[in-house]
Amino acid sequence: MLTLLGVVVTGWFTYRGTRAAAAAQAAQATAAAAPAAKAEDFKILQATVERVDEENGQLRGRMSRLEAILRACSWTMDRWARQMTRAGIEPEPPHPLVEEYNRTGV
């Protein structure tokens, strides 16, 4: 009877030890895979940041060009309006959006 009890207790400890070893091995495998997953996530994030930076640079260039064209058109139309006024011709009133811009600068 004592031998049977010893076999059962030994089997139980062996079972628990095997499960603990398997859990530790799984944890090590997960820990080894984590840096690779983080590195892959970092590569994706870095590619996204580079793409957004490039798009942002392109948009800033287009915005700068648009602002320069708008300033040139505004100066040209102002010159034409002054020429008309000097010639005794009253120019048409500006569009309400132009009035608002002239008033607020926005």
Side-chain angles (χ1 to χ4, degrees):
M1 176 89 156
L2 188 58
T3 306
L4 181 62
L5 182 61
V7 169
V8 170
V9 169
T10 303
W12 183 72
F13 278 117
T14 303
Y15 171 74
R16 286 193 60 204
T18 304
R19 287 183 52 99
Q25 188 176 13
Q28 284 179 343
T30 303
K38 285 185 179 181
E40 185 65 29
D41 289 346
F42 181 72
K43 285 180 187 176
I44 293 170
L45 177 63
Q46 191 173 17
T48 302
V49 167
E50 288 172 3
R51 180 182 53 83
V52 169
D53 281 347
E54 182 180 336
E55 289 175 1
N56 190 21
Q58 291 172 352
L59 288 174
R60 284 179 186 259
R62 290 176 64 191
M63 187 70 171
S64 176
R65 178 70 179 147
L66 181 62
E67 289 173 348
I69 291 171
L70 179 61
R71 262 192 312 277
C73 287
S74 176
W75 291 337
T76 302
M77 286 184 267
D78 183 57
R79 190 179 71 230
W80 289 344
R82 281 181 294 173
Q83 286 175 347
M84 290 174 67
T85 303
R86 279 195 306 261
I89 304 169
E90 188 61 34
E92 292 283 325
H95 189 276
L97 290 175
V98 174
E99 285 273 337
E100 180 181 349
Y101 178 80
N102 288 336
R103 223 179 28 257
T104 64
V106 179

